[in-house]
Amino acid sequence: MTTIANERPGTPLWTILWSALAVVAGVLLFVVQTPAWLSADPASLALPITPTMNAAMTAFVEFAGPTFRALSDILDIPMRGVRWLLGVLPWAVTFWLAIVLAWRAGGLRVALFTAATLTYMLVVGYWAESMNSLALVVVSVPSAVLVGFAFGTLAFYSPAARRPIRTMLDVLQTIPAFAYLLPILLLFGFGTVVGLIASVLFAFPPMVRNTLLGLERVPEDIVEAGRMSGATSTQLFWQVRVPAAERQLLLGVNQTTMAAFSMVIIASIIGGTADIGWEVLSKMRKAEFGESLLAGIVIALMAMVMDRITTAFVQRSGGASARTMTRPAAVPEMLWAHRGVALAVVGGALVYALSAVAPALATWPEAWEIYPASYLNSAVEALTLNYAAAIATIKQTAFFFVMLPLKIGLAQTISPFSWGFEFTPALKLGYGVLAAMISALVAWRFSLRAGAVTAFGAIVLFAGLTKLPWPITVGAFVLLAGQLGGWRLALGTALGLIFLVFAGVWPQTMLSLYLCGLAVAIAFALGTALGVAAAEFKSVSAFLRPINDTLQTMPLFVLLIPFVMIFKIGEFTALLAIIAYAIVPAIRYGEAGLRDVSGDVVEAATSMGATRWQLLWNVKLPLAWPVLMLGLNQTIMYAIAMLVIAALVGTNGLGQQVYIGLGDADFGVGMVAGIGMAIIAIIADRMTQAASRSRGASDREPLAA
C-alpha cells in the first residue's frame, strides 16, 4: 500500500486531501457556526505555558543569579577598559590607526573610504558615541569568534555533537535577539554586559558554520602529506587544517563582525550607555527623523568600513594581494615584513605627540561641526506636504486592495469606504462562481490537485488568512510540508503549529504570517526579477551592487527611518521596511544562480537555435532552481529577522509580543513569542530545502548554509 511519504505530487491522494481541506474550510466558514475552540482565536485551548516558564525562570534566577552577576562584573572589566582607551585616545590617533589598518587590508581605496567615514563622524559630532559603540564590537567580536571556532571544531571532530549544535544554531539564528535579551537581563542585570552577551550569542553562529565548512573542505592530500611528515594530531590541526581553511575562517570572522555590529542598537536599548545606537533610538522615539537619519548613517558607514576591511583580508587570504611593493635595500627584512605595525606604532606616537601641542588633534572643535538635521527635517516636511496626495494614494491603494484582503478577506474589506461599493450577496455569489470556474480551468489545464489548491486559495482570499479556523491553516501547511518533504516534515510542521495554538499565540502568529508572507512574496518576485536582469545585463548588475551592499550592511533599525519619515507608522510602513531588507538575498542569489549555469549547456542550447527568451526560461532558470530556492530561504529568514524590528512602527503579532515581554519583564510572554517566530522560520527553512531537493538538487551540507 502506498504511503504519503512515498506519494508523488500530483497523484490522486494529494488531490483528495487538498479537495477535502477546501470542502471542510467551506463548511466551517459558510455552512455551520464554527465552535470557539475551532475558530481563528482558540483562546479556550491555551495551556498555562507562559506562567510555567516564568516560574521556572524565577527559580533559576534565584539559584544562579549571584553567579551570573559575578560573571557580569568580570566581563565588565574589558568593556570598561576598551571604552576608556577609545575615549582617552585623541581622535587623530584613532583616525591614523584605522587608516593604516584599512590600507594594509584593502589598499588605497578602502583607506580613503575609511577616512571619509571617520571624517563624517567627526563633522556631525558623533565621535564619542561612535567610540562607545565600537568598544562593544571590539570586545564582542573576538569573543564570538573564539566561541564559534570552538563549537565548529567540536562539530568537525564529533559527529555525535553535530546534530545538537545544528539545533542550537537554528534556535539562536531564528529566535529574535529581543527574545533572549530578557533572560540575559534577568541573569546578568542591567548594563553594558547585557549587550555584550547578546552580541556574542547573536554573532557566533556564522563562525561555527564557516569553521566547520572550512575544516571539511581541506583537501585530503594536504592532510595526508602532514601525516606522512610525522605531524601529531595537534600539529596536524593547527599547522595544516587551520591554515588551509584560512579563507573560510576569515569569511566567518567577516560575517561575525557584521552580525555583532547589527546588535549595536539592540544592545543600546538595555545597555544604558551614550552610544550611537541610543542616539538613533532616542531620536526615532521623539520623531526627530533628521537627527535619527544622521546618526543612522554613522552606523551604516561604520558597518560598511568593517565589511570592506574584513572582506579585503578574506580576499588576500585567497591569494590576492593588496599591493606589490619592492623592499628598499636600506630597510631590514623583518621591519619590512611588519611595516604595517611599524607604521601604525610610529605614526600613532607622532600624532599623539602632536595632539599635545595642537588641541584640535585631541578634541574635534565644536566650531568645525556641521549638523544639518534641521534642513533634513524641513526637506522631509516639504516632501510630505507637497506630495501628500500621492503618498496617501499609494498607501491607501496598497492597504485596501492588497494588504487587507489577505489579512481579513474580501468579505470584510470591500465596502463603500474602501472599494467604493458594497459587497452584496449577488457579488459574493458571482465571486464564488468565478472562483469555481477558475479552479475548474486550472484543474483541466494542469491537474486536479492544482485545481483543488486554487479553490482553497479562493476561500482564503474571501475569508482572510487571519480569519480562517486554525485547523484549516494547520492542515494547509501540513499538506504542503508533506508534499515537499514527506511525512517527517509534515509531522514536524503539525507539532510546531499546534504548539502555537496551545501556547495561546495563534492570532499573533497569523498576523505575523500575513505580513511576513506578503513581504516575502513581493521581495522574492521583485528581487529574483532584478537578479535575472543583473545576470543578463552588466549595467544592471553594476547599478544594483552598491544598493545591495548598502541595504545589507545597513542596521535594521536604520532601514525604518526613511519609511517612517514619509509614510508614518503603520503596517504599510512595516511592509516596505521588510521588503527593503529581505529583497537583497533574492537579488544576489537570482544573479548568482543564472551566472553559475554551465557555459557548455548555454552554448549547446544556443547552437540548437534557442532564442534569448527560450534560453532564459527553458535552460537557465530550471538549472538555477536550487540557488533560487536558497535565495527564497534567505529571503524568508531576512523577513522574519526584520519582522520584530518592524513591530516598532505599529504592527501587531509575535514581534509586538516580544516587546511586551521585554517591557514588562515577562520572560514567558517574550520567550513564547520568540519560539513562535523560530518555529515559523524553521518550518520555512525545511520546506525550501525540500523544494530544492524535489527538483533534483543535492542536499545542503549540515552546517554549511
Side-chain angles (χ1 to χ4, degrees), residues 173-216:
Q173 289 191 300
T174 53
I175 289 183
F178 284 96
Y180 52 74
L181 278 180
L182 185 54
I184 297 172
L185 186 63
L186 294 173
L187 290 171
F188 289 93
F190 187 82
T192 56
V193 173
V194 182
L196 172 63
I197 299 297
S199 295
V200 172
L201 287 176
F202 186 75
F204 87 87
M207 190 66 198
V208 179
R209 297 186 187 275
N210 281 279
T211 298
L212 178 64
L213 183 60
L215 294 176
E216 286 181 336

Side-chain angles (χ1 to χ4, degrees), residues 587-620:
I587 297 174
R588 291 191 183 277
Y589 284 98
E591 180 178 1
L594 265 69
R595 289 191 183 278
D596 289 343
V597 172
S598 172
D600 295 337
V601 175
V602 174
E603 185 177 352
T606 303
S607 64
M608 295 176 65
T611 64
R612 188 168 188 172
W613 187 255
Q614 291 172 328
L615 197 64
L616 174 63
W617 282 100
N618 299 330
V619 178
K620 291 183 178 181

Side-chain angles (χ1 to χ4, degrees), residues 215-238:
L215 294 176
E216 286 181 336
R217 288 186 174 180
V218 174
E220 190 60 34
D221 55 345
I222 295 179
V223 178
E224 190 61 32
R227 291 197 184 99
M228 294 178 63
S229 300
T232 64
S233 298
T234 303
Q235 292 172 331
L236 198 65
F237 177 73
W238 289 107

Side-chain angles (χ1 to χ4, degrees), residues 664-697:
D664 297 341
D666 193 322
F667 170 76
V669 169
M671 190 53 64
V672 165
I675 292 173
M677 298 184 75
I679 288 173
I680 295 174
I682 292 173
I683 290 174
D685 175 69
R686 300 301 186 265
M687 282 188 177
T688 51
Q689 288 188 46
S692 178
R693 292 194 296 269
S694 70
R695 293 291 295 265

